[in-house]
Amino acid sequence: EESVRVAAATALSNIADEQALEPLSKALVGDEQDQKESVRKAAAAALGSIAARLSQASKDREAAVRAAAAAALGSVGARLGPVLKDEEESVRVAAASALGGIADELGQSLKDTEESVRVAAATALSNIADEQALEPLSKALVGDEQDQKESVR
């Protein structure tokens, strides 16, 4: 029954366990995708709740945990690119809102003291391929420090 499957998806989002990911993913995409929109919507929301936990993990006291959480969050964000071109306006709005001010934040990373961080930020901004990325990249390229210029190139 549809309402039971929606409740199950919602309940799975509250279970902090890796085993919750598989049934939620199956309900959302693939051969076993649920036919009911409300169930797929609940599964997507539940996975979003799990992503929020990743955001919390990005503040962990251990650098390795923070790095793993950042990589996982980045892979989720990177997959929003095609959604920004969706035919439905509401979908594009949701994707753009989810990305928020990421270009601004990456622009701040172009000023990091570590070259590897500046290179990663410049690469990420180039992957955005959007007007938002132009300003921080341009500023980094014409900035005062020679190291920052070379990182962007």
Side-chain angles (χ1 to χ4, degrees):
E1 192 166 308
E2 179 180 353
S3 61
V4 173
R5 294 194 311 275
V6 169
T10 303
L12 282 170
S13 73
N14 295 321
I15 299 173
D17 190 89
E18 183 178 310
Q19 294 176 18
L21 295 175
E22 184 177 350
L24 288 170
S25 296
K26 283 183 179 181
L28 194 56
V29 295
D31 295 339
E32 298 177 39
Q33 177 185 47
D34 200 284
Q35 297 304 305
K36 297 291 184 177
E37 173 189 357
S38 61
V39 176
R40 294 191 311 274
K41 182 179 172 185
L47 288 167
S49 175
I50 292 168
R53 290 191 189 125
L54 280 173
S55 182
Q56 290 174 334
S58 71
K59 299 171 187 156
D60 193 90
R61 68 181 175 276
E62 300 294 333
V65 174
R66 293 192 308 272
L73 285 168
S75 72
V76 171
R79 287 171 177 75
L80 281 176
V83 183
L84 288 167
K85 296 177 179 107
D86 194 273
E87 62 189 41
E88 291 293 326
E89 176 188 5
S90 62
V91 175
R92 295 191 310 273
V93 167
S97 296
L99 287 171
I102 196 159
D104 291 337
E105 292 179 29
L106 284 169
Q108 291 301 312
S109 293
L110 289 172
K111 300 173 187 171
D112 197 275
T113 57
E114 297 295 329
E115 179 181 6
S116 61
V117 174
R118 295 191 309 269
V119 169
T123 302
L125 280 166
S126 72
N127 290 334
I128 290 175
D130 185 82
E131 288 182 25
Q132 281 187 315
L134 291 176
E135 183 180 350
L137 285 169
S138 296
K139 284 182 179 178
L141 189 60
V142 297
D144 293 334
E145 295 185 35
Q146 186 63 29
D147 285 349
Q148 288 182 344
K149 291 179 187 177
E150 291 174 8
S151 295
V152 174
R153 290 186 189 142

